[in-house]
Each structure stands twice: as C-alpha cells, then as structure tokens.
Amino acid sequence: RRPGGGVRRLLTMPLRNPIILASLLGVAVSATGLRLPAAVTQPCDVLGAAAVPTALITLGLSLHRGPGGGGRARRERAETAVVIAVKTLGQPLAALLVAGPLLHLPDHQLLAVVLCAALPTAQNSFIYAREYGLDTGLARDAIVASTLVSMVTLSVAAWALGP
C-alpha cells in the first residue's frame, strides 16, 4: 500500500457513495433550474415509486428464520431489546428534552419533533445492513418490534403533547 492511501480513500469515500452522489446531483440540477425531458424522468419516477414496496418485500422475505437457540439467541434478543428501547423510548425522550427546555419550541412543533423521533426503525436500515454485509437479523427484528412498540409510544406521545 502507498503511504497516505488510506487517508485519501477515507476522505474521498463520500464522493464514491452513490447515495451522496445522487443527492448532490439532485441539488445541482435543482439549483440550475434545469428540467429534464420526460423520457429521462419517467423511468426514474417508476423506480422511485418501486423503492419502498421493494424494501418491504425484501424485509418480509427476511422474516423467515432458520432454527436458532441457545445463548446466541438470548444475546440477540437482549441486543434487540436495547435497540428497541433506545429507538422507541430514548430517542423521543431526548427529542423532548432538547426541543422543549433547550430550544423552547412551540407546542405544535414540539409534538412534531417528538413524533418524528418516536417513529419506528425505517426499513432502509435493513437494506443498508444487507448492502454492507452487516447483521440483517438485528435490523429486521428492530424494524418489526419497533413498529409494534411504536403504536403505543406514538399514541402516548400524541396524547401527552397534543392539543
């Protein structure tokens, strides 16, 4: 390896990330006011509309698990429980403490911030975990369980902070 190659690779990583590149390209096109022809935008619209259903289908397919057990299963359940507690309780509480006492947001904005923080884990986390070769089981379990738990936490937050 060349000296400094690791640093250069690290610094150029954002420029090689397709999500960041697509976002930057979108900002550039929007800033110029350029309108792309329908022949270009129509396939992009179709792909964009298919993204969420495709992610949900992928997540659904991952719900089938092989037999597991033993200490590993207990450790995975404990890890998932911590992730869910942080996402569904810790994050909304942190948002409440920052948006309320520190930022002094009005009631309706405080409600919006806390509700957004209390949303369940996004299915994108599963897609990213799969793409980058990480633990898809944790992402999958966090998505499913936080969706169930958030039905309660979102209701409580809306009741407590709502009009």
Side-chain angles (χ1 to χ4, degrees):
R1 290 189 168 199
R2 298 182 311 226
V7 173
R8 184 178 326 135
R9 180 170 167 76
L10 183 65
L11 292 175
T12 61
M13 189 180 300
L15 301 175
R16 292 181 281 118
N17 184 317
I19 295 170
I20 294 174
L21 287 175
S23 298
L24 291 175
L25 183 60
V27 167
V29 169
S30 179
T32 63
L34 177 67
R35 297 288 173 229
L36 298 174
V40 173
T41 60
Q42 187 177 12
C44 291
D45 290 342
V46 170
L47 285 173
V52 172
T54 302
L56 289 173
I57 288 170
T58 304
L59 176 64
L61 290 171
S62 77
L63 291 175
H64 173 70
R65 300 186 230 185
R72 182 171 181 218
R74 280 192 295 280
R75 188 183 76 243
E76 288 172 357
R77 282 194 298 271
E79 186 178 19
T80 302
V82 169
V83 168
I84 294 162
V86 169
K87 176 62 182 118
T88 58
L89 298 173
Q91 191 170 332
L93 286 174
L96 178 66
L97 294 174
V98 170
L102 292 179
L103 299 177
H104 305 291
L105 293 181
D107 291 345
H108 68 283
Q109 291 178 355
L110 178 63
L111 174 63
V113 167
V114 172
L115 287 179
C116 285
L119 290 172
T121 305
Q123 77 265 10
N124 295 5
S125 61
F126 175 79
I127 300 300
Y128 288 135
R130 186 169 175 262
E131 181 66 26
Y132 291 107
L134 301 174
D135 183 8
T136 57
L138 176 62
R140 174 199 60 223
D141 294 346
I143 292 167
V144 172
S146 68
T147 299
L148 295 172
V149 172
S150 71
M151 289 184 213
V152 174
T153 56
L154 286 168
S155 299
V156 169
W159 172 79
L161 300 173

